[in-house]
Amino acid sequence: MTVDTDQLYFILENTPAEQNIMLVGKHGIGKSRILEEYYTKKGFKVVTLFLGQMSDPGDLIGLPEKDEKTGKTDFLLPYWFPTDRKPVVLFLDELNRARPEVLQTIMDLTLNRKLAGKALPLGSRIISAVNNGNEYQLTDLDPALVSRFNIYEFAPSVENWLSWAKESGIDSRITSFISENPEFLDSDASYAEAANLERTPDRRSWERTSDVIKKFPELSDIHKPIITGIIGTRATSTFFRFLIEHDVPAASEILNGDFSLVEKRLSKLAIPVMSTVNVSVFRLIENGLEEAKKKTAAKNLSAYFEYLEKNGKREIQAHFINLCSAESFPETLVFISENCPDLYKAMTDFIMDS
């Protein structure tokens, strides 16, 4: 069965710890990130083992040693094995890239929760991830091993990713582009084959692209080579064409520059794009502003909300106010209340009139 992110959260919440879960999906769609974030928030330690990199069962179960008291062979605990008896989430990544001899070790682990006779703490969970497709070099899995997992094909939706991206501070130019060009979010394997394995985009590569372009309010031809190496020629060309046609101002331009210079550009943006601008602006404030820039940022933030009012963009104003009440932006609300009294009053008036 194919599940998206919200459905996966429900599965993780309601599957008993003793039942193993296997996620099947393409690379770069966020399997490991989602699992680590989910369980870390719940207080679990997440141990990720990349099975495709293990050359010997000893990498998993530890090295043998002689017990001087008994004269028998024992195994040193591997570095990751929990010794505090607190349950862990053991994430077996690249399960179907593991060598057959490593997979034999996994059999006992998934059935009895033991490695070389040593049991995992009660309440520990085992989750695996596998890539599925002809484009991967994979190891066939034993049916007996497969039978020990609840199996779900994981295919997070574009909306799932956009929601995460906006909350995580992904550059608004990227979220705006993906909103209108969702086909570029994930790599197209058929295109990659036709293009002789040219680099194609995936969710992980868009995150890397965001990290690169955040410090550049404007992108030009000089930035194309570095972006092409991350998402490929085809996606880069379409991305730059989108930026030229839409000209989405970066949050730093709105808050730190001359606001009058971005008003005309804002007027050309569609409502979905404007909502990503809101999130981008809030994220920049939430991450902390330099003291010297706070006065200008406060003035421009008030001017931005006033611009929305003057141009009848009430839906974007409502979205702006909803973000203020969201748990994700507590520092932004503090910033507004302390530095933008006119804006705070305008927001209050908007709520009263609604």
Side-chain angles (χ1 to χ4, degrees), residues 269-320:
L269 303 181
I271 287 179
V273 179
M274 286 293 295
S275 66
T276 66
V277 172
N278 277 353
V279 175
S280 179
V281 167
F282 273 56
R283 179 59 61 183
L284 183 59
I285 297 173
E286 196 69 23
N287 289 340
L289 298 171
E290 296 177 27
E291 195 64 36
K293 294 182 177 180
K294 284 186 176 181
K295 185 175 181 180
T296 300
K299 177 183 176 182
N300 285 350
L301 189 62
S302 298
Y304 174 62
F305 193 82
E306 184 179 350
Y307 160 81
L308 298 177
E309 174 68 30
K310 288 181 178 178
N311 290 271
K313 298 184 182 294
R314 290 186 61 82
E315 185 173 343
I316 304 304
Q317 283 182 285
H319 179 256
F320 183 104

Side-chain angles (χ1 to χ4, degrees), residues 158-159 161-162 166 172-183 242 272-273 275-276:
V158 174
E159 291 73 21
W161 186 84
L162 284 172
K166 292 170 185 177
S172 61
R173 290 167 290 187
I174 291 176
T175 54
S176 298
F177 172 72
I178 296 300
S179 292
E180 294 198 19
N181 300 273
E183 68 274 15
F242 171 87
V273 179
S275 66
T276 66

Side-chain angles (χ1 to χ4, degrees), residues 99-157:
R99 293 172 177 266
E101 54 269 29
V102 173
L103 289 176
Q104 289 301 317
T105 305
I106 298 296
M107 297 282 278
D108 188 33
L109 178 64
T110 53
L111 181 63
N112 300 314
R113 292 293 199 278
K114 290 183 178 180
L115 276 178
K118 298 178 177 65
L120 290 175
L122 188 65
S124 294
R125 295 175 178 270
I126 297 177
I127 301 176
S128 71
V130 301
N131 294 326
N132 189 29
N134 295 327
E135 65 269 30
Y136 303 109
Q137 296 179 354
L138 305 174
T139 303
D140 290 334
L141 296 179
D142 190 311
L145 176 60
V146 173
S147 70
R148 297 172 187 182
F149 288 90
N150 302 344
I151 302 175
Y152 304 97
E153 183 176 351
F154 182 48
S157 67

Side-chain angles (χ1 to χ4, degrees), residues 54-70:
M54 294 183 175
S55 58
D56 183 88
D59 294 338
L60 184 63
I61 65 176
L63 298 176
E65 68 167 352
K66 180 181 178 180
D67 188 322
E68 297 297 337
K69 292 183 179 181
T70 65

